[in-house]
Amino acid sequence: MASVVDSAWTYLITNFSDFQLACLGSFFLHESVFFLSGLPFIFLERAGWLNQYKIQTKNNTVDAQEKCITKLLLYHFCVNLPVMILSYPVFRFMGMRSTLPLPSWKVISTQILFYFILEDFVFYWGHRILHTKWLYKHVHSVHHEYATPFGLTSEYAHPAEILFLGFATILGPAITGPHLITLWLWMVLRVLETVEAHCGYHFPWSLSNYLPLYGGADFHDYHHRLLYTKSGNYSSTFVYMDWIFGTDTGYRKLKALKSEGEEMATKDM
């Protein structure tokens, strides 16, 4: 397996420059993973398949879905891509490399775990700030146009928010100066996580059913359903920041009421 990865990576660094891989390669990888993982949830909603796992009964209109996709493409090409290009010198200065040898899986996994923890911490506070009255009205309300989120709405946001909260995603890699393959894996996992959190479905195989600290779709969907002053559930990936600072009390009470209702329904049968 290692030799296959090494061979593939050798091909990339032989045929493309470091700049091409770090900027254009990263952008292409992001777009591919984002749309390939997010588009299926649009089709599920339109077809009405797996509705038993849908968190909300309300569906988005076709016009609303198409508006989301159109603006996403605009934001990605006009905001995300320029940011990737402009941040390249910073990452190079901090030690990012694309040369062989590739880092060990131990190094990669340790760095990515650190990125998830740091990103979640920074995102939590940044997200809470965006829910203050002025910033919500003028910036964050764009993201909350979709009270019934679907996968692609995860990156539907005001350009200022894209830059503001995007800082949480790139901070870890900027600090550690990772190998490019680590940065790519981190980006893939972060995209898959945020798409899943906004997908609008809670499946039996959802990670939140197996990882107690992981938030997932049910946790974040609650955030989108409520008014900005009462939403809570501000974390991006995990649940412990909201638990520590008491911003998940409404969600926990709702879960407790649902659990009691299910128990009573079971007893009545």
Side-chain angles (χ1 to χ4, degrees):
M1 178 65 180
S3 61
V4 174
V5 175
D6 286 344
S7 298
W9 197 259
T10 300
Y11 174 83
L12 289 175
I13 61 177
T14 302
N15 292 277
F16 301 96
S17 69
D18 194 63
F19 174 81
Q20 289 174 324
L21 291 173
C23 298
L24 302 181
S26 297
F27 181 75
F28 177 76
L29 180 62
H30 172 274
E31 297 303 287
S32 300
V33 174
F34 177 70
F35 283 103
L36 286 175
S37 62
L39 282 172
F41 293 106
I42 285 182
F43 301 136
L44 282 179
E45 189 175 271
R46 289 185 183 181
W49 297 337
L50 302 178
N51 270 352
Q52 66 269 36
Y53 303 122
K54 200 170 185 301
I55 299 170
Q56 298 187 47
T57 56
K58 179 184 175 183
N59 288 333
N60 291 282
T61 65
V62 173
D63 287 342
Q65 293 172 340
E66 291 178 351
K67 173 191 172 184
C68 176
I69 295 172
T70 302
K71 286 199 172 183
L72 279 171
L73 289 171
L74 177 66
Y75 294 156
H76 285 183
F77 279 95
C78 297
V79 180
N80 292 16
L81 182 57
V83 167
M84 287 182 178
I85 293 172
L86 293 173
S87 62
Y88 173 72
V90 177
F91 280 96
R92 288 289 293 172
F93 176 77
M94 296 303 292
M96 186 191 75
R97 65 181 181 87
S98 60
T99 56
L100 291 172
L102 297 175
S104 67
W105 284 109
K106 181 179 180 181
V107 170
I108 291 174
S109 57
T110 301
Q111 288 184 332
I112 289 178
L113 178 61
F114 169 67
Y115 300 161
F116 266 116
I117 294 172
L118 180 63
E119 190 277 339
D120 192 68
F121 177 84
V122 176
F123 186 98
Y124 174 85
W125 291 110
H127 196 183
R128 282 194 69 171
I129 290 171
L130 286 173
H131 274 265
T132 54
K133 188 173 183 179
W134 190 91
L135 283 174
Y136 183 88
K137 179 180 179 181
H138 296 283
V139 179
H140 194 49
S141 60
V142 174
H143 181 65
H144 278 269
E145 286 177 17
Y146 292 90
T148 306
F150 52 94
L152 295 182
T153 59
S154 57
E155 295 191 5
Y156 181 87
H158 190 286
E161 179 177 342
I162 294 172
L163 297 174
F164 183 56
L165 291 183
F167 174 75
T169 302
I170 66 172
L171 180 60
I175 292 173
T176 61
H179 192 282
L180 182 59
I181 197 171
T182 306
L183 184 63
W184 280 2
L185 285 171
W186 159 238
M187 182 173 62
V188 168
L189 291 174
R190 179 72 181 98
V191 167
L192 292 176
E193 181 276 320
T194 192
V195 167
E196 193 271 339
H198 289 82
C199 74
Y201 291 82
H202 184 70
F203 301 109
W205 55 85
S206 295
L207 276 178
S208 55
N209 293 327
Y210 305 98
L211 301 177
L213 295 180
Y214 181 76
D218 187 63
F219 184 80
H220 193 70
D221 199 278
Y222 175 86
H223 174 81
H224 274 263
R225 295 199 302 270
L226 299 189
L227 295 173
Y228 79 94
T229 53
K230 301 178 181 179
S231 56
N233 291 18
Y234 298 114
S235 296
S236 60
T237 304
F238 306 113
V239 299
Y240 56 83
M241 288 292 291
D242 283 283
W243 178 76
I244 291 171
F245 294 100
T247 48
D248 66 346
T249 52
Y251 173 72
R252 288 183 178 275
K253 287 178 181 177
L254 180 64
K255 293 284 285 184
L257 287 172
K258 282 186 176 180
S259 180
E260 288 177 8
E262 289 172 358
E263 287 180 7
M264 290 180 66
T266 303
K267 290 178 180 178
D268 292 340
M269 290 177 65

